[in-house]
Amino acid sequence: RPLVPAGIQVEQLVQYGRHPHQGWFNQWSEEDARMVRWACERMQLGDILAQSASSLSGGQAQRVWLAMVLAQDADIILLDEPTSALDIGHQTEVMEAIHQITAEGKTVLIVIHDLATAARYCDELIAIGEGKIQAMGPAREVVTKPLIDRLYQTDVDILHAPGDGAPIIVPRRRPQAFAMQRQA
């Protein structure tokens, strides 16, 4: 989790997203204020704007960082493991917020190792292994047993989630493999 300067409030942190639009002759504007308000609304931060950013839960903090990124108003957003170290409730909260960003026309590229989350929330997946692209396309085409087994040197079952049919990766037990490694 990124470090936050002591004493900084949530709204101030989101305002940092407008820094690239500032300069000697281009100081804080009504457009900057509008973009910060818009980003805070999108990430549902209204009730915590005056709160110290260092006091937030993991999910709240991620929403604040996403608001800061949104305030930049970039067409393409790059995120590295936005749900790492979050519990399942906060993971869902953050991925729903990211999904909302894409619904509003932004392109979001995410590096994520949680295959179930990627399969459920991402429109397109790119599987990378051995330094090159191994597969690319919709989750239902990319998340296959042969690919996952090969990329992760494992043995999995691929199930389909009720409702939306998103692929769910379930590792098979291999107790003999662990016992053999311990004996070696």
Side-chain angles (χ1 to χ4, degrees):
R1 180 168 159 177
L3 294 176
V4 178
I8 191 167
Q9 293 179 330
V10 167
E11 187 173 23
Q12 291 171 300
L13 189 56
V14 176
Q15 289 171 351
Y16 284 151
R18 296 303 296 168
H19 184 73
H21 302 279
Q22 306 299 302
W24 286 104
F25 300 107
N26 189 19
Q27 297 297 313
W28 189 260
S29 68
E30 182 51 41
E31 174 65 8
D32 295 321
R34 187 186 70 74
M35 288 304 298
V36 168
R37 281 191 308 273
W38 174 81
C40 289
E41 287 169 10
R42 290 298 170 272
M43 293 299 108
Q44 301 173 1
L45 303 177
D47 58 338
I48 62 170
L49 286 176
Q51 201 170 320
S52 170
S54 62
S55 71
L56 301 176
S57 71
Q60 289 173 320
Q62 285 296 75
R63 284 194 353 251
V64 171
W65 290 111
L66 286 171
M68 186 179 79
V69 169
L70 276 180
Q72 290 179 18
D73 197 28
D75 292 329
I76 299 174
I77 299 168
L78 306 174
L79 301 173
D80 184 14
E81 295 287 350
T83 59
S84 67
L86 297 179
D87 64 41
I88 193 167
H90 287 118
Q91 287 176 6
T92 302
E93 179 182 320
V94 168
M95 290 307 293
E96 289 294 337
I98 292 168
H99 183 72
Q100 181 180 358
I101 293 168
T102 62
E104 293 182 6
K106 302 287 184 186
T107 298
V108 180
L109 301 173
I110 302 173
V111 173
I112 189 167
H113 289 91
D114 181 341
L115 299 178
T117 298
R120 169 132 306 146
Y121 285 98
C122 299
D123 296 327
E124 298 280 325
L125 300 181
I126 300 173
I128 298 175
E130 300 171 3
K132 57 186 173 187
I133 295 175
Q134 301 292 323
M136 184 168 66
R140 285 164 182 79
E141 294 175 18
V142 171
V143 179
T144 64
K145 178 178 176 36
L147 180 70
I148 302 305
D149 286 350
R150 182 169 47 84
L151 286 178
Y152 295 95
Q153 294 84 47
T154 191
D155 188 16
V156 300
D157 290 313
I158 307 291
L159 308 175
H160 298 283
D164 66 1
I168 300 171
I169 301 92
V170 181
R172 291 184 179 177
R173 289 197 63 208
R174 298 186 312 175
Q176 68 281 2
F178 182 69
M180 288 188 298
Q181 287 176 351
R182 287 184 58 193
Q183 291 174 357

